[in-house]
Amino acid sequence: MKQRKRYALVGASGRGLGMYAYPLKEEYADVAEVVGIFDPNPVRSAYVKEFCRLDCRTYTDYDRMIRETRPETVIVTTVDRYHHEYIIRALEAGLDAITEKPMTVDLEKCRQILETEARTGRKVIVTFNYRFTPYITRIRELLRDGLVGTILNVDFEWLLDTSHGADYFRRWH
């Protein structure tokens, strides 16, 4: 029997749950397993574990999780400004890292990640998770199939509402 790839979730966020932990458990359990969940808030980690029915431990100490669970890859879904910290620590521990976008929040942190990746020989994969939500995928299929004819121009507007949109940029994003 082929051994499953071992993943540790770093950040028990909504995206961590919905785009990584749950699909790994429900769709890829034959080839992948979540071996640990790290979050400074133990309630969040416990929720992800319970919701996904994962057979793993939860941690508030990142280094302890890495030592005890020995993952092959970490999946970073923390607050954006901390992505670089956990990516670099994973690479230096001999692990690969998958992170949601953005990889990091500024040029210096990006350079640190790329330098660490080159030095360690480990890999960082940045995902663009929203590109694959069902309604976005369906829109792409309809456009590809020519439903609206030849596309001559695309105008994208993001209207920010006061209950989520404008507040989104004042928070940690």
Side-chain angles (χ1 to χ4, degrees), residues 10-11 13 15 20 62 74-91 97-105 109 113 124-127 129 172:
V10 180
S13 65
R15 287 190 182 151
Y20 298 97
Y62 172 83
V74 298
I75 300 170
V76 180
T77 63
T78 62
V79 173
D80 296 350
R81 70 176 172 257
Y82 298 120
H83 284 188
H84 73 288
E85 177 182 336
Y86 296 109
I87 293 168
I88 289 170
R89 289 167 71 184
L91 299 174
I98 297 171
T99 187
E100 61 176 342
K101 54 122 180 86
M103 181 171 71
T104 191
V105 295
K109 291 177 178 82
I113 290 169
V124 177
I125 296 171
V126 181
T127 63
N129 42 32
W172 52 268

Side-chain angles (χ1 to χ4, degrees), residues 19-39:
M19 295 184 176
Y20 298 97
Y22 191 78
L24 284 171
K25 172 68 174 178
E26 295 301 313
E27 298 175 41
Y28 302 101
D30 59 326
V31 294
E33 68 178 315
V34 177
V35 296
I37 304 169
F38 161 79
D39 197 281

Side-chain angles (χ1 to χ4, degrees), residues 106-122:
D106 63 41
L107 181 60
E108 181 55 36
K109 291 177 178 82
C110 183
R111 284 186 177 134
Q112 291 172 6
I113 290 169
L114 295 175
E115 288 168 3
T116 306
E117 184 182 39
R119 179 174 41 80
T120 63
R122 304 311 305 180

Side-chain angles (χ1 to χ4, degrees), residues 130-155:
Y130 230 45
R131 290 177 58 199
F132 301 102
T133 56
Y135 77 92
I136 296 291
T137 301
R138 183 65 181 139
I139 289 170
R140 182 186 179 281
E141 291 168 354
L142 293 171
L143 294 174
R144 181 198 61 214
D145 294 343
L147 181 70
V148 298
T150 302
I151 299 171
L152 302 174
N153 182 56
V154 175
D155 181 30

